[in-house]
Structures are given as structure tokens and as C-alpha cells.
């Protein structure tokens, strides 16, 4: 993986354990020569992560929709900033740049982005690893909800298993490096044929 998209909160959260793990992830990217692609903000978890990497001369590419560009949130000191016309074009641009996706703690925006990445994997449109850093068990309830979806017949276990979950930065990134997407046997193949 040369470049990885990280989706994370535009807020910093109340517990500094999350901020510290964002710094750990940034340092891990530096040590392993991984470029960061992210939402382009300077606030919250996003800002902490970008600053950590920039301070050590790593690569940080922001992809921000024009509507957020003029707000206070725009990070003006990163390697490259790409401005897109819309939120959906931003997602497409990010997906073209990266070899994998990671979610750190965040809110609606973070979930929206990571679930889009999972959906692309589920449909076989992409074969990239998708991971969540489950710091302090932050995502435990979400993972339980995914299990409910499986037991109630709305999510295949094999699709749930695509999601790489770890509480450790090094373990998460190592498992993402080793990820092999499952063979797709889904309806879309039939439609195309
Ligand atoms: P949230 O989890 O709701 O705080 O949203 C964070 C995610 O949505 C990030 O990964 C960004 O890609 C995007 N996002 C939300 N707010 C902003 C912002 N003010 N500036 C840049 N990106 C943002």
C-alpha cells in the first residue's frame, strides 16, 4: 500500500486516547512510507493526523469539496490539496488515489465514507482492504450491529469478514497489507452477462 485514505472525525472527541492513536497512525505511516489521503481539514482528528505526518515530511493529500474549501477548516499546509465540485466527486477522487481505507473514530461523515468503501468491496467494484481502528472499543456497538445484520439475513458473513478490525495500529496495517479480496459470486456478475 503506497497511499491509504483515512476517514476520521472533524471533531477531536472527549477522550485523548483517540487523538493519541491518530498520532500513532500518522507515525506508522511515516515509518512505512505510506502517503495519507484524507478529507483536507485542519480540525479534529483529521487535523491531528495530517499535522503528525506533515511535521515529519511525509506525504499528505487532501481532497475537499469546493463548499468546504473557504471555511475555517481547510488545511493550508499539506503536500497537495485537490478541490472537487461535489461530495460524491470527492469520494471518487479519493478512491482513485488510494490502495486501502481506514476509519478512525468519527461521526456521520466517517461512517458514510467507510461504508461506501465497504459497499464498493461488497460489489466487487474494488478489491482494496478496508480497516477500522477500534481504539478503546469505540466501534464495538457498530460491530454488534453488523452481527445483527448477519443473523437477520441482511449481510453475508463473508462480506462482513471483509472488514478488518483491530485495536492496534501495527496489526491493522499489517493485516491490510496481507488482505486478499474474496472471489465475487454476486448478482451483478449475472446482470453483466
Ligand atoms: P465526521 O465524522 O462527521 O466528523 O466527518 C468527518 C469525515 O467527513 C472526514 O473523513 C472528512 O472526509 C469529511 N468531513 C466532514 N467535515 C469536514 C470538514 N469540515 N472538512 C473536511 N472534511 C470534512
Amino acid at each position: 500500500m503506497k497511499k491509504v485514505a483515512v476517514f476520521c472525525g472533524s471533531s477531536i472527541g472527549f477522550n485523548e486516547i483517540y487523538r493519541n492513536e491518530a498520532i500513532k497512525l500518522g507515525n506508522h505511516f511515516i515509518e512505512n512510507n505510506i502517503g495519507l489521503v484524507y478529507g483536507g481539514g485542519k480540525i479534529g482528528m483529521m487535523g491531528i493526523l495530517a499535522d503528525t505526518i506533515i511535521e515529519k515530511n511525509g506525504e499528505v493529500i487532501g481532497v475537499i469539496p469546493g463548499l468546504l474549501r473557504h471555511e475555517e477548516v481547510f488545511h493550508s499546509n499539506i503536500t497537495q490539496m485537490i478541490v472537487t465540485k461535489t461530495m460524491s466527486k470527492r469520494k471518487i477522487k479519493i478512491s482513485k488515489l488510494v490502495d486501502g481505507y481506514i476509519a478512525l473514530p468519527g461521526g456521520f461523515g466517517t461512517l458514510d465514507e467507510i461504508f461506501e468503501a465497504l459497499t464498493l468491496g461488497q460489489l466487487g467494484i474494488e478489491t482494496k482492504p478496508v480497516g477500522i481502528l477500534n481504539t478503546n472499543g469505540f466501534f464495538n456497538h457498530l460491530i454488534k450491529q453488523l452481527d445483527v445484520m448477519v443473523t437477520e439475513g441482511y449481510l453475508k458473513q463473508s462480506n462482513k469478514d471483509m472488514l478488518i478490525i483491530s485495536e492496534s495500529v501495527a496489526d491493522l496495517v499489517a493485516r491490510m497489507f496481507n488482505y486478499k479480496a474474496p472471489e465475487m459470486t454476486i448478482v451483478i456478475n449475472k446482470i453483466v452477462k
Side-chain angles (χ1 to χ4, degrees), residues 1 36 45 47 59 70 72 103 125 131 138 140 145 164 180:
M1 296 190 296
L36 169 71
M45 295 283 279
E59 182 184 27
H70 301 292
E72 300 270 293
I125 295 167
F138 178 85
N140 283 354
Q145 179 61 47
I164 302 165
K180 252 188 90 63

Side-chain angles (χ1 to χ4, degrees), residues 6-11 38-41 43 46 64 68 71 73 90 106-111 113:
V6 179
F7 305 128
C8 55
S10 52
S11 307
Y38 84 120
I43 50 173
M46 287 193 284
I64 200 161
L68 291 177
E71 286 189 31
V73 298
R90 165 208 247 180
F108 278 160
T110 301
L111 290 189
E113 291 166 323

Side-chain angles (χ1 to χ4, degrees), residues 19-78:
R19 168 186 195 282
N20 293 341
E21 285 297 291
I23 292 171
K24 204 184 264 183
L25 184 69
N27 286 328
H28 196 76
F29 276 21
I30 291 284
E31 285 153 20
N32 292 277
N33 212 14
I34 299 169
L36 169 71
V37 177
Y38 84 120
K42 70 172 178 191
I43 50 173
M45 295 283 279
M46 287 193 284
I48 296 287
L49 180 64
D51 287 344
T52 302
I53 297 173
I54 282 297
E55 274 165 22
K56 297 192 169 147
N57 297 317
E59 182 184 27
V60 176
I61 301 175
V63 185
I64 200 161
L67 71 115
L68 291 177
R69 196 189 185 296
H70 301 292
E71 286 189 31
E72 300 270 293
V73 298
F74 178 84
H75 203 308
S76 54
N77 179 33
I78 56 176

